[in-house]
């Protein structure tokens, strides 16, 4: 599955560079995409014209094992993909203040949008990126009239860090192709539940699944 997916993503990035001179991809953190990133890192893509942005980040130092940036550096920004441009969603600030958020928003101006590819994961609680059900700040992050690309979310108990920064739903939907990559029975059950749930506050992934403007493909393995 990861080989097929890596080929599809590489093809789309190559086509985007041929057509527009540049390409961009938003990539999820977590553990599920590790093997995909290892394979994608060696794909024959003109990576020097590709911008890579995490879909979300845990507010921890970037050399911490819990950091999504750390995982992306270890598994994707190597081999041929080491030449890509990486835009971090983490600053040196101790906490995720409004000022830090604005700085990161400014840093995203250089990313060519819409994203050619967005890779998302999902938790069994139906969160995606750092859009956690009923979390503090998630209403703003899900609000499609909010044109900001990033938002801060506080989700007590979330893996790695409760303090999160995430691409907003409108930024994630400013894309040409979205991949939802999930594994295991629990996530298949969560996906079915999300497809039947209208409220994105309850099932944030439904904001991605229940829309008519961007092609979404779900890749699932047992
Ligand atoms: C994060 C994520 C998050 C992740 C899911 C799935 O920082 O936690 O980016 O949205 O994709 O939680 O995580 P796993 O792949 O580890 O199950």
């Amino acid at each position: 599955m990861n080989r097929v997916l890596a080929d599809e993503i590489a093809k789309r990035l190559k086509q985007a560079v041929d057509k527009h001179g540049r390409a961009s991809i938003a990539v999820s953190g977590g553990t599920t995409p590790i093997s995909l990133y290892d394979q994608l890192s060696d794909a024959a893509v003109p990576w020097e014209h590709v911008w890579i942005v995490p879909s979300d980040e845990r507010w921890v130092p970037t050399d911490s094992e819990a950091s999504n940036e750390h995982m992306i550096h270890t598994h994707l920004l190597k081999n041929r993909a080491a030449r890509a441009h990486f835009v971090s969603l983490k600053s040196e600030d101790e906490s995720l203040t409004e000022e830090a958020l604005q700085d990161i928003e400014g840093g995203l101006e250089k990313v060519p949008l819409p994203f050619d590819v967005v890779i998302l994961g999902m938790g069994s609680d139906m969160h995606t990126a750092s859009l956690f059900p009923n979390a503090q700040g998630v209403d703003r992050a899900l609000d499609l009239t909010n044109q900001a690309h990033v938002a801060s979310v506080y989700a007590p108990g979330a893996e790695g860090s409760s303090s999160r920064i995430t691409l907003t739903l409108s930024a994630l939907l400013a894309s040409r192709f979205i991949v939802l990559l999930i594994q295991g029975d629990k996530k298949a059950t969560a996906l079915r539940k999300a497809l039947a749930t209208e409220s994105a506050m309850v099932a944030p992934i439904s904001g991605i699944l229940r829309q008519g403007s961007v092609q979404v493909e779900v890749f699932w393995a047992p």
Side-chain angles (χ1 to χ4, degrees):
M1 182 178 80
N2 284 321
R3 212 167 28 244
V4 169
L5 189 48
D7 288 349
E8 172 68 24
I9 293 168
K11 188 185 84 189
R12 284 176 179 267
L13 293 176
K14 261 187 282 180
Q15 281 171 349
V17 173
D18 284 349
K19 202 164 167 198
H20 310 289
R22 304 189 304 166
S24 62
I25 178 169
V27 296
S28 75
T31 52
T32 310
I34 286 178
S35 158
L36 170 68
Y37 295 168
D38 283 333
Q39 297 191 39
L40 189 57
S41 72
D42 228 358
V45 167
W47 289 105
E48 62 278 15
H49 301 299
V50 177
W51 273 253
I52 299 179
V53 186
S55 63
D56 63 311
E57 188 55 277
R58 300 133 180 224
W59 206 258
V60 293
T62 53
D63 58 359
S64 146
E65 287 291 326
S67 157
N68 285 337
E69 181 167 331
H70 182 264
M71 188 280 269
I72 294 162
H73 264 281
T74 309
H75 294 283
L76 181 57
L77 294 171
K78 61 179 183 180
N79 302 326
R80 290 170 162 156
R83 299 197 303 274
H85 304 263
F86 180 77
V87 180
S88 176
L89 292 188
K90 175 75 175 62
S91 68
E92 295 292 314
D93 299 80
E94 189 73 19
S95 58
L96 178 47
T97 59
E98 191 53 39
E99 209 184 342
L101 193 67
Q102 287 319 315
D103 283 352
I104 293 164
E105 179 78 38
L108 287 169
E109 270 168 26
K110 50 183 176 275
V111 179
L113 292 176
F115 291 113
D116 295 290
V117 180
V118 171
I119 303 171
L120 291 174
M122 183 188 69
S124 40
D125 62 354
M126 300 181 288
H127 82 262
T128 192
S130 281
L131 303 167
F132 285 85
N134 297 310
Q136 199 178 309
V138 81
D139 46 345
R140 207 159 150 235
L142 289 170
D143 179 358
L144 289 173
T145 66
N146 171 13
Q147 287 307 302
H149 295 92
V150 281
S152 67
V153 168
Y154 188 76
E159 186 77 29
S161 169
S162 306
S163 176
R164 302 288 193 115
I165 180 168
T166 186
L167 292 180
T168 56
L169 182 59
S170 68
L172 292 168
L173 293 178
S175 56
R176 297 190 166 98
F177 181 59
I178 299 178
V179 173
L180 175 60
L181 180 61
I182 50 174
Q183 192 172 359
D185 290 341
K186 265 180 147 177
K187 292 197 181 178
T189 304
L191 178 66
R192 277 193 289 272
K193 193 171 161 198
L195 285 166
T197 307
E198 233 168 275
S199 164
M201 275 300 275
V202 175
I205 188 65
S206 74
I208 298 291
L209 300 171
R210 297 169 73 98
Q211 49 80 32
S213 56
V214 192
Q215 182 189 355
V216 180
E217 282 190 20
V218 179
F219 283 73
W220 175 84

